[in-house]
Amino acid sequence: MSTVVLIYSGGLDTSVCIPLMREEYGFDRIVTVTVDVGQPAADIEQAEERARTLGTEHTTVDARAEFVEQYCWPSVKANGDYQGYPISTSIARPLIALKAVDAARAVGADAYAHGCTGKGNDQFRLEYVMRTLTPEIPIIAPMRQGKLLPGGGREPWTRTEEIDYAAAHGVSIGQSKDKIWSIDENLWGRSIEGGHLEEPNYCPPEEIFQWTRGLADTPDTPEIVVIGFENGVPVSINGESLSPLEIVLRMNVISGRNGVGRVDVMEDRMLGLKVRENYECPAAVALLQAHKALEALVCTQSELKFKAHVDREWGELAYKGLWFDPLKEDLEAFTNQIQPRVTGTVTLRMAKGSSVVIGRASKWALYNEDLASFDSKTFDQADSEGMVKTHGLQSRMYWQICGRG
Ligand code: ARG
């Protein structure tokens, strides 16, 4: 008996993979794993139902709390961002792969399968984790390999062929013929692709957004939100202590109803493709903004400058899914060293699609009211004179020597 563990979303691509595993790849035991990282309950149910119809051994793993605590929170500490994208799909993939590894070990799998195509980033992220932890188990990617042609050779599946193939195996994905959006959702964000959305100059239709209200539907009165942080991670909203999962769920609602969290960027994918991407990340946008504001209050200037570099490196590694990379651990050692001071509160004012920091407080604040005020007793302004005179010494010499000005 040969067993394959298939990472299963319940969508078209991965549903097609199930009969393919039997008919083309010759497995007789198919174990499907769906990992709940906060996608809609209807998607999870659909996956379970389709798995039943297609006759797999199915498990759903509720990884929502783990996702927030072990993946979103490290991302908050590192101000996790890639080219303006608050990395969300990216950071869920290692966890999904990890659950597939657990399943493969439990059932003694002979192979893994996933539904990623050959164009995106997810194939890299999933396979890196599986290959790191279980290098002996081969990985099959039927969507990347393409459809087997009658005379041998392969070509990419078309959507219609996939729908027909699924229907022939008892799964009707009929209405998807006009469902043009490819959506990936988790608690940290929602990515919408497909149709004309990849085109840099195409104005996305309002209908692609589901977590954030359009400007016309947002309240006229601004909403004030106070986020409490401890050790670099959010612990409360408006004074109410909440679990990590509750915080993300609640912030998605608060930001979303104010139209905060839409992100539209040009993204350089791992294969070098430059693609326009649309995201809704209501909780991530607000929590990252607040975290950065608190770091700006408690860190020294040189720490901030250095950390911006550390954050960019971390964001790139996380985007690539290199979750176990030693450099990532090294960078986190620096980041974690600072985080105990990132404790305090940040006040945001949200209105009409914007979120603005209007206050921050911490017992670690590198701020002294007396020093900063105009009539300070401790800061003697006359002391500045000598420093001002030497300011820009070399650049002034340059201007004199080169005869400019
Ligand atoms: N470009 C994003 C990333 O690499 C999202 C990819 C998945 N999105 C999707 N709609 N299928 O993280």
Side-chain angles (χ1 to χ4, degrees):
M1 181 132 106
S2 58
T3 305
V4 61
V5 167
L6 169 69
I7 299 178
Y8 188 52
S9 70
L12 180 60
D13 287 342
T14 49
S15 294
V16 164
C17 287
I18 296 174
L20 269 181
M21 283 298 116
R22 292 198 185 95
E23 292 175 5
E24 200 178 302
Y25 296 88
F27 291 97
D28 34 38
R29 184 178 177 209
I30 295 152
V31 177
T32 44
V33 181
T34 299
V35 184
D36 184 355
V37 280
Q39 58 274 56
D43 287 12
I44 305 277
E45 283 156 25
Q46 175 175 278
E48 286 166 354
E49 197 188 305
R50 286 181 178 166
R52 214 173 304 127
T53 311
L54 291 163
T56 74
E57 278 173 46
H58 182 78
T59 37
T60 299
V61 185
D62 181 357
R64 291 175 310 151
E66 189 177 353
F67 177 54
V68 175
E69 286 159 38
Q70 309 295 329
Y71 295 78
C72 302
W73 272 195
S75 196
V76 168
K77 292 181 186 176
N79 299 310
D81 170 279
Y82 176 77
Q83 298 185 327
Y85 155 41
I87 39 176
S88 46
T89 294
S90 333
I91 59 170
R93 297 310 183 191
L95 177 58
I96 292 170
L98 222 59
K99 298 302 174 193
V101 168
D102 288 347
R105 284 176 172 154
V107 302
D110 301 291
Y112 291 108
H114 64 70
C116 301
T117 67
K119 277 169 100 179
N121 297 324
D122 291 330
Q123 51 182 336
F124 291 92
R125 299 165 177 154
L126 295 177
E127 293 195 22
Y128 162 77
V129 168
M130 297 187 287
R131 216 166 260 126
T132 304
L133 300 177
T134 47
E136 68 286 358
I137 305 182
I139 303 167
I140 306 168
M143 289 298 125
R144 184 171 65 199
Q145 287 199 313
K147 187 182 59 125
L148 192 59
L149 297 171
R154 291 182 183 269
E155 67 180 23
W157 287 84
T158 67
R159 211 168 163 73
T160 318
E161 283 167 352
E162 286 187 50
I163 291 169
D164 293 344
Y165 184 79
H169 292 84
V171 169
S172 135
I173 312 188
Q175 97 277 29
S176 299
K177 274 189 183 168
D178 22 70
K179 232 199 214 172
I180 47 174
W181 316 121
S182 156
I183 294 162
D184 181 66
E185 278 173 329
N186 64 52
L187 290 155
W188 207 232
R190 184 166 175 272
S191 146
I192 317 107
E193 297 177 342
H196 290 289
L197 286 177
E198 273 84 59
E199 294 166 19
N201 205 22
Y202 173 77
C203 176
E206 194 55 33
E207 63 163 276
I208 69 164
F209 300 108
Q210 270 180 19
W211 293 4
T212 53
R213 287 195 202 166
L215 285 193
D217 303 321
T218 54
D220 291 328
T221 320
E223 183 165 357
I224 308 293
V225 194
V226 182
I227 300 166
F229 282 86
E230 260 169 44
N231 293 316
V233 295
V235 292
S236 66
I237 298 175
N238 296 329
E240 186 184 349
S241 296
L242 297 164
S243 74
L245 178 58
E246 286 168 333
I247 287 188
V248 174
L249 290 170
R250 194 165 304 181
M251 277 315 295
N252 272 330
V253 174
I254 296 174
S255 297
R257 68 179 168 226
N258 287 291
V260 170
R262 294 188 183 182
V263 176
D264 181 332
V265 288
M266 289 309 302
E267 188 172 307
D268 291 296
R269 283 202 191 151
M270 290 168 65
L271 282 162
L273 293 175
K274 202 182 261 300
V275 176
R276 186 261 192 88
E277 298 276 356
N278 282 282
Y279 300 101
E280 294 183 279
C281 307
V285 163
L287 295 174
L288 291 170
Q289 178 187 35
H291 179 266
K292 261 192 176 174
L294 204 50
E295 282 191 339
L297 179 68
V298 303
C299 294
T300 66
Q301 183 186 20
S302 23
E303 280 179 321
L304 288 172
K305 190 172 155 191
F306 189 72
K307 187 160 187 294
H309 184 62
V310 169
D311 289 349
R312 194 162 46 244
E313 292 293 332
W314 190 94
E316 206 170 302
L317 285 171
Y319 180 78
K320 291 178 180 167
L322 295 172
W323 204 254
F324 305 121
D325 198 276
L327 177 61
K328 184 170 159 290
E329 285 180 7
D330 303 338
L331 299 170
E332 284 170 355
F334 170 80
T335 296
N336 288 333
Q337 171 73 17
I338 288 178
Q339 298 307 302
R341 280 182 280 146
V342 189
T343 294
T345 59
V346 176
T347 307
L348 303 175
R349 187 185 56 215
M350 296 190 177
K352 295 277 166 207
S354 89
S355 170
V356 179
V357 176
I358 57 164
R360 64 288 269 162
S362 170
K363 67 170 177 173
W364 302 101
L366 297 177
Y367 171 83
N368 179 298
E369 196 179 335
D370 173 59
L371 277 177
S373 86
F374 283 109
D375 27 56
S376 167
K377 301 273 184 299
T378 28
F379 187 93
D380 185 348
Q381 297 191 29
D383 287 346
S384 300
E385 192 174 330
M387 290 179 75
V388 173
K389 279 184 180 164
T390 54
H391 179 61
L393 188 63
Q394 295 190 355
S395 77
R396 282 188 281 122
M397 280 174 79
Y398 161 83
W399 269 61
Q400 300 223 314
I401 291 163
C402 298
R404 296 177 64 181

